Amino acid sequence: MAETITQPETLLSPEFMHRLDRLDVMSRKILRGRMQGERRSKKKGQSVEFADYRSYVVGDDLRFIDWNLYARLDKLFLRLFMEEEDLSVSVVMDVTKSMDYGDPNKLHYAKRVAAALGYIGLTHYNRVNLYTFADTVTDMALGMRGRRPIPRMLSFIQDQQPIEGEHVSGNLAVVCKRLAMLQRQPGIIVLLSDFFDKGDMADALRYLGGDKHDVYAIQLLSPQEVDPAKGHILGDLRLRDIEDGDIAEVSVSPALIKRYKTNLQAYCQHVREQCLKRGVAYMISETDVPFETLVLKYLRQRGLLG
Amino acid sequence: MGFLSPITALIVAGITVPLLVSLYFLKLRRRQVMISSTLLWKKAIQDLQVNSPFQRLRKSLLLLLQLLILGALLFAMSRPTMETVASPGQRVVIVIDHSASMNATDISPTRLDEAKKAAIELIDNLDTTGESAEGGALGGAMVVSFAQGARVRQSLTNDPSRLRDAVRRIEPTDQVSRLGPALSLIEPYVQTGSDDESDKLVVYIISDGKVQASGQAMSLAGAELRYIPIGGGPGRMAGAADPDNLGIVSFSARRDFDKPEIVQVFARVANFGSQPVSANLRLSLDGQVSRVQPINLQPAPAPDPESSATSTKHETSVQFDFVLPGSALVELAHDYDDQLESDNTVRLTLAPARRLRVLMVSRGNAFLVKGIQSAGVRQLSFMNPEKYEDQDPLSLRRGGWEAAGTSGLAGEGFDVIVFDGYSPTTTPKVDSLYFAASPPIEAIQRVASEEGDTGSQRVLTWERDHPLLRYVVLDDVILSEPGRLVVNSQASVMATGQSGPIMAEVVEDGVRHVVASFDILKSNWPIKISFPVFLGNTVQTLGLGGLADDAGIAYRTGDIATIPIDTGDNLSYTGPVTIDVVRTQGTTVLPVFTRAGLYEASQPIEPPFDRLGVNLLAPDESDIRTADILNVSSIATGTTATTSTFRREVWRWFIWAALAVMLIEWLVYTRRMHL
């Protein structure tokens, strides 16, 4: 069955999907689901897992009365079972032009991560929502559940292109605000972006913070961004911002490179701090880290997958 | 160093330097690179600019080079000057020696090049602005070159470029150097000068001091002479190597008188270096090595002007004997690697063994017959005047004349005709000797002694240097009825008696006529030693064209060669230089030889004139040790001279420097563009 849904082979290989089958999306919080799923809920319900007893009140379903206890104690007790609910998994992917950069390409890398997370979510009957954003939320695929929408999900991801247009630059605050409005149901939100946002990061994360959502922020950086020498950024250059066309004229010297690296580190630290402050799980990955390693190892270490 | 207009340059610098720097920033060609975000870069630049505002300049080699160019141009604009030693505004004559010894390589590349360099330096230092240090106008400078002769290369001018061109045009020669003609050329300029100090003529003689004084004191009164010695030796200049030269200084070949096929070659080789020399002498005949002889020579003794005694250990004579009846090119060379090339090889063309054919037109003169026979003639024929008049004059030269009634071998042409007491009615076409007779030409006419004038005469004077009168003593010759000669300006008088010229010669239409007005039978000359000597000289010279002594033909540089045979038109000789010959009156005259070497005729002509060997053979030139003192005007001209200084503008240097840096900048720029 898995073979039939691997049309966009560049995203997920059948072997990899087979390995993903064993994983599930984990939440650090127990969140309220909408439909019955495979996840234990705070609510008591109709699963096979025993939770507790309570005294019978009139009107309770007689099928759940523990007759053995009644025999022993001559009191009516009702057996309560764990309720299993579905989990809402939202993967939010940055499709600004800045993502279409680097070798390996950041956008392609993000697509693969999104596909993997979506696949895991769907195979475990979670409610999977996909969002893409640039200056605002640009596209979405909502309410996918079960294995059937896997091809749809993969082709949705595959079809995503960096948003062209003059001065279309990422605006995380607008995006987060819109997401908060769209994603009313509690669940896991995974943000895939390079977080090169010229706006206020703290302001943006404010909308997603709180107990309602379990938010993961995965910052993707290309090796050329981490070490400009790999991108042949040397000599007298006119650096043009791929998103907003902003120009920076530089004479790249070893001192400047050193300064740039320091700034990059500081910026990543800033993003991390803002995430932590808002209870957002943060992790960073370079795109030259094999995608399989990221999914199978790092995301499991971070507790997103289990 | 000083500056003539520093303010202007400073003002321009104040404007242009900031302009250049700002233009650099504006015009810097940057490669455009797309990046994901300029966020971090901008911050990095800001940080760095705060830390080091000149970060942009740090690596900009191009800007640095541009600033250098601008700096050099600004320097040039400020008109920098340097104090330079130079003559103050007089007229200057630069005399450059381009003789054989100036080709010595003890200074790289040659002494002549060094001399030219010194001359150009001198010209550069001339104040050509028209005003001397004393305020007087510069009278100009001229360039004279000398070797065997002297030549004005550039007359007085104030244009340094023409002077420099003139100096550069001086070509090397292999001639001897004679300073006399150069001083004679300069002399008129001295005489026009006045006593005024500023109009004084300063003569710079750039030479190695090997100038032939030929015993005469050279003088140039009124001029200030300065000698700039070039080359190694006692007056050695910096950078010159020890003089080291092994030269062949004399070379001749002679055929045996009795057996003309036996040839003797003589040569003298001298070492003029300061080290003992071992070398091999190699004699080649027509390019084939015939003999090799090793020689060992001691170093030359230090030249001592006081004593004329020379050591013989530094030179040696060699002799080679071989049998060769025909013509050949004889070449002698040594294999020692020395500093002067032109005296390492000498060559001559050996003439085929032959003797002269002489016709005697006479009614009988036993003394004359004996005398001519003793002169080494191969064939002596006799004709009486009547028989002679029957002959075609040209056949006597070319052969094919009517032989009946004559004795001796008939048919071949004659080299010399001797007329004894008979004046021919037509001018002979062969070189002729006349006794008591004269040719029918205007230049020389004989006037017989008047009747009754029986007094004996002696010879008053004669040209002792004349080739025909070499070793001829006429003191004791008594002539009876000698008559006299009436000569015009074309003829040259050889001897004069009491009544007038009695011997003269003239060359007309390429034919040489030697006329004696007296009858030898009416004199005591036939019994004097000088008579056969004179006949020998005359017959050999007339018959062999002055090549009587030597069996081979060789010339020295500076000689003018005359080819006594009828050559065709468009003849030229190719050798170290190409020589086009000039034909005048049946004789072919070659211009002065400037370079030593072998010259070959462009068309086949009769040997030995098909190949002409031109040699240096001048011990004075082979001795390449530079003289430290030049004896001119009987006052030794040393190397010291009073000089004055003046400020010379050197802005051209900075322009050149700017151009050089511009070239470097271009290279750097293209290198960057291609990287």
Side-chain angles (χ1 to χ4, degrees):
Chain A
M1 183 180 165
E3 284 72 10
T4 60
I5 56 169
T6 55
Q7 291 302 324
E9 280 180 23
T10 50
L11 295 182
L12 298 174
S13 66
E15 295 78 25
F16 187 65
M17 283 195 284
H18 183 68
R19 296 177 72 182
L20 290 181
D21 284 340
R22 287 176 289 171
L23 295 175
D24 192 5
V25 181
M26 307 288 280
S27 172
R28 294 171 296 166
K29 302 168 183 173
I30 296 174
L31 301 167
R32 189 166 49 84
R34 184 185 289 174
M35 297 175 74
Q36 193 171 8
E38 292 184 340
R39 204 161 298 273
R40 195 164 55 174
S41 168
K42 274 195 250 180
K43 292 189 290 185
K44 304 292 179 286
Q46 293 180 341
S47 68
V48 291
E49 197 175 343
F50 172 77
D52 202 357
Y53 294 100
R54 73 168 167 83
S55 301
Y56 171 79
V57 289
V58 177
D60 281 338
D61 193 342
L62 295 177
R63 286 175 296 174
F64 296 110
I65 293 172
D66 192 338
W67 296 109
N68 291 331
L69 266 180
Y70 176 72
R72 248 194 279 170
L73 302 173
D74 198 23
K75 278 186 180 175
L76 284 170
F77 288 98
L78 210 64
R79 280 188 297 192
L80 297 181
F81 296 90
M82 297 303 294
E83 173 75 350
E84 285 186 338
E85 286 179 338
D86 62 349
L87 180 68
S88 168
V89 177
S90 301
V91 181
V92 185
M93 193 165 60
D94 185 352
V95 290
T96 54
K97 277 200 279 187
S98 73
M99 287 293 284
D100 187 20
Y101 180 81
D103 183 27
N105 189 281
K106 286 192 290 183
L107 182 61
H108 182 69
Y109 198 85
K111 282 180 178 180
R112 297 188 77 182
V113 175
L117 291 175
Y119 178 83
I120 295 166
L122 290 177
T123 50
H124 290 87
Y125 292 92
N126 293 311
R127 184 179 299 275
V128 173
N129 301 317
L130 292 176
Y131 300 92
T132 60
F133 72 91
D135 51 345
T136 181
V137 174
T138 54
D139 202 357
M140 59 189 93
L142 303 177
M144 291 176 286
R145 197 159 181 273
R147 282 181 174 269
R148 201 154 37 150
I150 287 177
R152 183 182 142 216
M153 173 204 72
L154 289 176
S155 73
F156 173 83
I157 294 173
Q158 185 71 26
D159 291 345
Q160 292 305 319
Q161 295 298 326
I163 300 299
E164 298 286 337
E166 276 296 302
H167 308 301
V168 176
S169 60
N171 191 339
L172 206 58
V174 173
V175 172
C176 290
K177 190 175 179 183
R178 179 109 177 92
L179 268 179
M181 287 162 69
L182 287 169
Q183 189 63 33
R184 290 189 177 280
Q185 195 183 359
I188 294 174
I189 296 177
V190 181
L191 271 174
L192 290 167
S193 174
D194 51 13
F195 295 106
F196 283 146
D197 189 274
K198 288 173 184 170
D200 186 6
M201 188 81 187
D203 189 41
L205 291 176
R206 187 163 55 90
Y207 296 104
L208 296 179
D211 287 341
K212 196 174 178 185
H213 301 293
D214 189 3
V215 185
Y216 289 83
I218 301 176
Q219 188 175 14
L220 297 175
L221 293 177
S222 69
Q224 290 78 16
E225 285 163 336
V226 176
D227 185 2
K230 288 182 184 169
H232 302 290
I233 295 179
L234 280 172
D236 294 322
L237 297 175
R238 187 181 160 88
L239 300 177
R240 189 181 167 89
D241 194 314
I242 204 167
E243 277 184 17
D244 56 10
D246 188 24
I247 298 291
E249 290 195 336
V250 293
S251 297
V252 180
S253 61
L256 188 70
I257 296 268
K258 196 176 162 191
R259 177 64 59 178
Y260 169 85
K261 286 182 177 173
T262 314
N263 283 350
L264 179 69
Q265 267 188 347
Y267 183 74
C268 293
Q269 187 61 30
H270 167 74
V271 174
R272 179 188 167 86
E273 279 170 9
Q274 291 304 319
C275 289
L276 291 178
K277 205 181 268 180
R278 297 284 168 190
V280 175
Y282 168 85
M283 68 175 296
I284 184 166
S285 175
E286 287 180 41
T287 55
D288 58 350
V289 173
F291 154 71
E292 290 83 1
T293 312
L294 174 78
V295 174
L296 298 177
K297 189 175 173 189
Y298 297 143
L299 290 185
R300 285 177 76 178
Q301 283 175 357
R302 297 295 302 174
L304 177 61
L305 297 177
Chain B
M1 185 179 267
F3 300 94
L4 293 182
S5 55
I7 302 297
T8 318
L10 281 176
I11 293 168
V12 177
I15 298 166
T16 50
V17 173
L19 201 68
L20 176 70
V21 176
S22 53
L23 273 178
Y24 177 78
F25 287 127
L26 290 174
K27 287 281 221 175
L28 183 66
R29 285 175 65 108
R30 291 179 185 274
R31 188 158 54 97
Q32 182 156 305
V33 174
M34 299 297 269
I35 53 161
S36 53
S37 176
T38 52
L39 182 74
L40 299 170
W41 284 107
K42 284 200 159 172
K43 199 161 155 32
I45 295 164
Q46 281 168 7
D47 292 350
L48 217 56
Q49 277 175 350
V50 169
N51 289 340
S52 80
F54 298 109
Q55 178 266 337
R56 281 183 168 190
L57 299 179
R58 195 178 293 159
K59 294 283 177 184
S60 53
L61 180 62
L62 284 175
L63 176 66
L64 186 74
L65 290 173
Q66 281 166 5
L67 284 171
L68 266 176
I69 294 168
L70 185 63
L73 292 176
L74 289 170
F75 236 81
M77 191 178 268
S78 69
R79 294 178 68 190
T81 57
M82 284 189 77
E83 292 210 337
T84 313
V85 176
S87 58
Q90 301 107 336
R91 289 173 305 150
V92 171
V93 182
I94 297 167
V95 183
I96 299 176
D97 183 357
H98 64 138
S99 63
S101 57
M102 293 296 281
N103 296 328
T105 55
D106 53 345
I107 305 174
S108 182
T110 65
R111 286 184 182 180
L112 183 62
D113 292 303
E114 186 67 24
K116 287 182 181 179
K117 217 167 93 184
I120 286 173
E121 205 169 295
L122 213 57
I123 292 166
D124 287 343
N125 287 351
L126 286 176
D127 184 5
T128 52
T129 54
E131 288 197 6
S132 71
E134 283 89 14
L138 175 70
M142 64 189 279
V143 177
V144 174
S145 69
F146 73 98
Q148 177 145 326
R151 189 174 148 198
V152 175
R153 297 283 176 159
Q154 174 61 53
S155 51
L156 279 175
T157 177
N158 266 325
D159 183 353
S161 62
R162 287 169 70 182
L163 292 168
R164 276 192 285 268
D165 279 353
V167 169
R168 289 192 190 106
R169 278 201 305 271
I170 295 174
E171 71 289 345
T173 71
D174 289 324
Q175 297 177 345
V176 297
S177 53
R178 296 194 299 142
L179 186 56
L183 296 181
S184 311
L185 268 180
I186 302 165
E187 216 161 7
Y189 295 93
V190 184
Q191 284 162 355
T192 57
S194 62
D195 292 338
D196 185 6
E197 180 70 20
S198 68
D199 202 24
K200 198 172 181 181
L201 192 70
V202 182
V203 180
Y204 289 94
I205 301 170
I206 307 175
S207 167
D208 52 10
K210 290 292 166 188
V211 291
Q212 281 190 344
S214 58
Q216 299 165 0
M218 293 179 286
S219 70
L220 195 64
E224 189 181 333
L225 294 179
R226 292 175 193 175
Y227 167 47
I228 301 176
I230 299 289
R236 178 193 300 196
M237 58 189 299
D242 271 344
D244 183 17
N245 186 34
L246 182 67
I248 301 170
V249 293
S250 89
F251 184 55
S252 64
R254 204 173 262 276
R255 286 191 184 274
D256 189 88
F257 190 77
D258 292 324
K259 296 177 180 170
E261 65 275 12
I262 296 177
V263 182
Q264 291 178 311
V265 172
F266 306 97
R268 207 168 88 240
V269 187
N271 175 19
F272 296 101
S274 52
Q275 300 294 324
V277 165
S278 296
N280 290 312
L281 281 176
R282 199 178 60 241
L283 183 81
S284 320
L285 299 177
D286 277 333
Q288 301 288 317
V289 176
S290 166
R291 308 283 165 81
V292 175
Q293 183 169 335
I295 50 167
N296 290 297
L297 293 174
Q298 294 300 310
D304 184 3
E306 298 300 319
S307 82
S308 58
T310 53
S311 156
T312 52
K313 287 187 177 173
H314 79 284
E315 60 176 40
T316 184
S317 294
V318 289
Q319 180 182 343
F320 300 96
D321 295 355
F322 52 90
V323 175
L324 187 80
S327 173
L329 176 72
V330 183
E331 198 172 71
L332 184 69
H334 69 71
D335 59 359
Y336 183 68
D337 183 22
D338 59 15
Q339 293 166 349
L340 189 62
E341 181 75 32
S342 51
D343 61 359
N344 293 354
T345 308
V346 289
R347 69 295 284 168
L348 59 79
T349 322
L350 203 60
R354 71 164 192 174
R355 288 209 197 157
L356 290 162
R357 291 184 292 271
V358 176
L359 172 65
M360 188 171 157
V361 181
S362 172
R363 296 194 188 277
N365 189 334
F367 286 113
L368 202 52
V369 171
K370 285 285 177 198
I372 292 170
Q373 281 172 339
S374 70
V377 298
R378 193 181 70 173
Q379 180 200 345
L380 179 60
S381 303
F382 300 99
M383 281 187 194
N384 57 32
E386 293 77 22
K387 176 79 180 169
Y388 170 79
E389 291 298 337
D390 289 344
Q391 304 292 339
D392 176 14
L394 271 178
S395 69
L396 291 171
R397 177 179 178 143
R398 293 178 182 161
W401 44 275
E402 175 55 49
T406 59
S407 62
L409 293 169
E412 292 181 57
F414 293 106
D415 298 307
V416 180
I417 303 177
V418 181
F419 292 96
D420 178 37
Y422 173 72
S423 298
T425 52
T426 55
T427 313
K429 302 292 182 193
V430 183
D431 289 354
S432 307
L433 172 66
Y434 303 83
F435 287 107
S438 64
I441 53 177
E442 285 224 350
I444 300 181
Q445 284 166 357
R446 177 176 179 264
V447 179
S449 291
E450 289 171 16
E451 286 293 323
D453 183 6
T454 54
S456 297
Q457 290 190 8
R458 284 179 181 273
V459 182
L460 291 180
T461 58
W462 67 95
E463 294 290 327
R464 288 163 203 266
D465 292 338
H466 196 283
L468 302 189
L469 295 177
R470 263 191 301 178
Y471 316 119
V472 174
V473 180
L474 299 177
D475 280 336
D476 50 357
V477 174
I478 298 169
L479 307 168
S480 174
E481 298 176 29
R484 63 189 170 87
L485 298 175
V486 179
V487 299
N488 69 7
S489 59
Q490 291 175 354
S492 62
V493 176
M494 295 160 60
T496 311
Q498 287 159 343
S499 54
I502 52 170
M503 286 177 82
E505 71 161 341
V506 67
V507 178
E508 191 162 288
D509 295 335
V511 181
R512 201 166 175 181
H513 305 277
V514 178
V515 182
S517 67
F518 50 88
D519 184 352
I520 56 162
L521 293 177
K522 289 181 182 174
S523 74
N524 66 344
W525 199 19
I527 58 167
K528 300 293 182 189
I529 285 287
S530 58
F531 181 63
V533 175
F534 170 74
L535 280 180
N537 281 350
T538 309
V539 170
Q540 295 280 349
T541 306
L542 294 185
L544 295 176
L547 308 168
D549 275 350
D550 293 326
I553 299 180
Y555 299 92
R556 290 183 182 195
T557 50
D559 281 355
I560 296 175
T562 308
I563 296 178
I565 53 171
D566 195 10
T567 61
D569 286 331
N570 302 325
L571 178 71
S572 64
Y573 282 95
T574 50
V577 289
T578 301
I579 299 174
D580 292 318
V581 300
V582 185
R583 292 191 69 216
T584 47
Q585 298 183 343
T587 327
T588 305
V589 181
L590 270 61
V592 182
F593 291 113
T594 54
R595 301 308 305 263
L598 182 67
Y599 293 82
E600 293 187 72
S602 60
Q603 336 171 333
I605 58 167
E606 187 185 330
F609 296 101
D610 55 342
R611 288 174 292 187
L612 306 180
V614 179
N615 307 317
L616 175 59
L617 299 183
D620 274 348
E621 293 298 321
S622 293
D623 186 357
I624 57 170
R625 291 171 293 179
T626 303
D628 52 350
I629 282 178
L630 201 60
N631 278 309
V632 178
S633 183
S634 70
I635 302 162
T637 300
T639 56
T640 52
T642 54
T643 52
S644 62
T645 60
F646 81 104
R647 299 176 83 80
R648 187 153 75 91
E649 287 199 56
V650 290
W651 56 269
R652 285 183 190 85
W653 299 354
F654 294 95
I655 298 288
W656 284 115
L659 284 173
V661 179
M662 204 175 278
L663 185 71
I664 295 169
E665 194 203 354
W666 178 77
L667 287 173
V668 170
Y669 177 77
T670 48
R671 204 174 140 76
R672 275 202 177 176
M673 285 300 109
H674 288 102
L675 273 179

